[in-house]
Amino acid sequence: MLNKPLFYHTVAFLVVAIWGSTFVFTKLLLMGGLSAAQIFVLRFIIAYVLLLAYSLYKGIRWKADCWQDEALMAMLGLTGGTLYFLTENSAMLYTTTTNTSLIVSLSPLVASVLISIFYKSQRLNKLQTLGSVMAAVGVVLVVLNGHFVLHLSPLGDTLAFGAALCWGVYSLLMIPANYRYDTAFITRKVFFYGLLFMIPYFIWCPGLGVDLLCAQPMLVWNLLFLGCVASMLCFLAWNWVMKKLGAVIATNYVYLNPVTTIIFAWLILSEQITVFFLLGTALILLGMFLADKSRQH
């Protein structure tokens, strides 16, 4: 029989690995002239249309049981979609990519703290806390990769922390949502409300950049990957694996995001990997092992 816990962990790792590779595709779209907001909306439109077709085929429900639950879905779309992507992408306009990556990659620590505050049953014990701290230190070593130079930027760094906080709140809100609703329903709602809350932005800054895509057809393939794989499939898989592993354990896999990003950059862009990267990766893996092992006991 299939080892289910191992399968859940494998899915979580694959999702984070794919998310770690998306920076290349996003960078190509940015170089093609699309803005960060346009990329986010276009990839979410693709994902939402695909999930809408799937929902029609499967007969998945259209609304939540009550207005409070519908408000919960709206908050998931706002925190895990609109605000997360806007704060993360905007941060890179005011601070370095290293700072942004470092701060945002600490979102599992933020999520663990928030979940511990609201759910006594999921509070971290001493061994879990040690594991989380080790993983966070590992992230610092991986992101810096031997280049210990940080340029403080209050606005940019605050926006990056805002993104980490948004992902932490999203992880917290997914706990009650997963108790009551199907993964496909939740994910479709996340895309819908994520797009809905972007309307004010595009009233202020109109234009989706479709003309740029028509002029550069190769960019369409990058966008399709981000929409079909990194958004639709990965959000579905991520919300499902959070239900299976629990919000804290699943979210800890985000610590591996910079690891997969740097490996992808090494394979494709020939960027250097240092001993600090290897040490940081080892700390992340050991920290995640301690957190998961202590939870199982």
Side-chain angles (χ1 to χ4, degrees):
M1 290 181 63
L2 179 67
N3 186 329
K4 290 185 177 180
L6 177 61
F7 179 68
Y8 302 149
H9 285 281
T10 302
V11 171
F13 171 77
L14 289 175
V15 169
V16 170
I18 292 171
W19 280 343
S21 71
T22 56
F23 81 100
V24 171
F25 301 96
T26 301
K27 184 176 181 179
L28 290 172
L29 289 168
L30 288 169
M31 291 171 62
L34 291 171
S35 70
Q38 288 171 332
I39 296 169
F40 160 66
V41 168
L42 287 170
R43 65 185 280 188
F44 261 45
I45 287 175
I46 293 170
Y48 180 70
V49 169
L50 290 173
L51 266 180
L52 195 61
Y54 177 77
S55 298
L56 288 169
Y57 175 72
K58 287 290 187 178
I60 296 174
R61 64 160 72 203
W62 290 100
K63 60 181 182 179
D65 293 331
C66 58
W67 71 264
Q68 292 94 337
D69 285 355
E70 195 66 35
L72 174 62
M73 300 300 159
M75 286 301 298
L76 285 170
L78 180 64
T79 55
T82 310
L83 289 181
Y84 173 78
F85 281 98
L86 284 181
T87 50
E88 181 186 50
N89 293 332
S90 298
M92 287 187 281
L93 296 175
Y94 301 101
T95 188
T96 63
T97 303
T98 299
N99 283 34
T100 303
S101 178
L102 177 58
I103 296 171
V104 172
S105 293
L106 295 177
S107 57
L109 199 57
V110 177
S112 295
V113 171
L114 289 175
I115 292 170
S116 297
I117 292 172
F118 288 93
Y119 291 90
K120 293 182 179 180
S121 62
Q122 297 201 42
R123 285 181 179 172
L124 302 179
N125 57 37
K126 292 182 179 179
L127 194 56
Q128 287 176 310
T129 302
L130 174 63
S132 294
V133 171
M134 288 178 65
V137 172
V139 166
V140 173
L141 292 176
V142 167
V143 173
L144 295 179
N145 201 20
H147 306 288
F148 296 96
V149 179
L150 287 176
H151 302 281
L152 297 180
S153 171
L155 178 57
D157 295 343
T158 300
L159 286 168
F161 179 76
L165 182 60
C166 285
W167 194 255
V169 173
Y170 176 80
S171 301
L172 174 67
L173 295 177
M174 277 299 297
I175 296 175
N178 272 327
Y179 281 146
R180 299 194 286 274
Y181 295 98
D182 179 74
T183 300
F185 172 78
I186 296 170
T187 308
R188 193 188 74 225
K189 286 291 186 179
V190 168
F191 292 142
F192 173 77
Y193 283 111
L195 291 169
L196 186 67
F197 286 120
M198 282 298 295
I199 291 176
Y201 179 90
F202 280 95
I203 291 175
W204 183 261
C205 303
L208 283 176
V210 177
D211 54 326
L212 294 171
L213 293 174
C214 292
Q216 305 170 81
M218 284 302 296
L219 295 180
V220 176
W221 294 106
N222 297 326
L223 190 62
L224 286 174
F225 173 80
L226 292 175
C228 298
V229 180
S231 292
M232 188 199 74
L233 292 179
C234 284
F235 264 86
L236 270 175
W238 185 253
N239 291 341
W240 174 77
V241 87
M242 284 183 72
K243 179 180 291 188
K244 297 298 183 181
L245 289 177
V248 173
I249 297 301
T251 304
N252 277 344
Y253 271 91
V254 177
Y255 284 129
L256 287 173
N257 204 322
V259 176
T260 58
T261 298
I262 291 178
I263 291 175
F264 196 79
W266 171 64
L267 291 172
I268 304 300
L269 305 176
S270 300
E271 292 190 4
Q272 185 180 10
I273 286 181
T274 69
V275 66
F276 296 100
F277 169 83
L278 299 175
L279 177 60
T281 300
L283 281 174
I284 291 171
L285 293 175
L286 180 57
M288 290 175 61
F289 172 77
L290 291 176
D292 189 34
K293 186 176 178 63
S294 58
R295 180 166 294 275
Q296 292 171 2
H297 292 80

